[in-house]
């Protein structure tokens, strides 16, 4: 059974940094497309970044501040977040899929983690 477990969420001051991790298990073959999403209460879910199939993509709202990376040998996904702003406050979710031919934020993700909370205070 596929399982995604996020960790690393914390409360930080504006301008601070965090690193989120997502451990994926249950994929018996290949390396899946993986991505980070976030959602603040009352707002629509927002794609943050995606990595897989030899490419990465970052949303315009975080480009230059956040960096997605992965260790495909153990299907672990990371999100390095710097220069955090209060508007970055959200529940951050890890997602994965293994059916698409292109890995991007707009891909149709089948598997989701439980989320990890990031709170940025001013």
């Amino acid at each position: 059974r596929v399982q995604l477990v996020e960790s690393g969420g914390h409360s930080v001051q504006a301008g601070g940094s965090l690193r989120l991790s997502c451990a994926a298990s249950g994929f018996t073959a290949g390396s899946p497309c993986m991505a980070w999403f976030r959602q603040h209460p009352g707002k629509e879910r927002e794609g943050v970044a995606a990595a897989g199939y030899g490419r990465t993509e970052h949303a315009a709202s975080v480009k230059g501040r956040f960096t997605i990376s992965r260790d495909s040998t153990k299907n672990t996904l990371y999100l390095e977040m710097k220069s955090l702003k209060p508007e970055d406050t959200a529940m951050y979710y890890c997602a994965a899929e293994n059916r698409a031919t292109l890995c991007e934020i707009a891909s149709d993700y089948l598997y989701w983690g439980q989320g990890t909370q990031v709170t940025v205070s001013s």
Side-chain angles (χ1 to χ4, degrees):
R1 181 175 64 86
V2 172
Q3 185 175 28
L4 305 177
V5 181
E6 303 96 332
S7 62
H10 208 275
S11 296
V12 298
Q13 298 266 50
S17 302
L18 284 175
R19 184 174 80 161
L20 306 184
S21 299
C22 172
S25 61
F27 291 99
T28 58
S31 183
C33 169
M34 300 181 71
W36 289 101
F37 291 79
R38 65 185 183 184
Q39 187 168 29
H40 188 82
K43 296 183 179 180
E44 188 175 80
R45 185 182 65 195
E46 175 189 20
V48 176
Y53 307 163
R55 71 184 299 271
T56 61
E57 178 189 10
H58 297 81
S61 60
V62 305
K63 198 170 186 178
R65 298 189 298 119
F66 293 8
T67 302
I68 190 170
S69 62
R70 64 187 298 170
D71 182 346
S72 295
T73 62
K74 52 184 177 181
N75 288 329
T76 301
L77 186 72
Y78 303 98
L79 185 67
E80 298 280 356
M81 305 186 293
K82 298 181 178 180
S83 300
L84 284 161
K85 306 173 180 180
E87 50 263 46
D88 294 319
T89 294
M91 183 72 76
Y92 283 71
Y93 297 92
C94 177
E97 64 85 34
N98 58 358
R99 300 180 184 275
T101 58
L102 178 65
C103 184
E104 58 185 350
I105 292 174
S107 295
D108 187 13
Y109 293 91
L110 182 61
Y111 307 104
W112 295 82
Q114 82 291 339
T116 185
Q117 179 68 39
V118 172
T119 301
V120 185
S121 59
S122 60

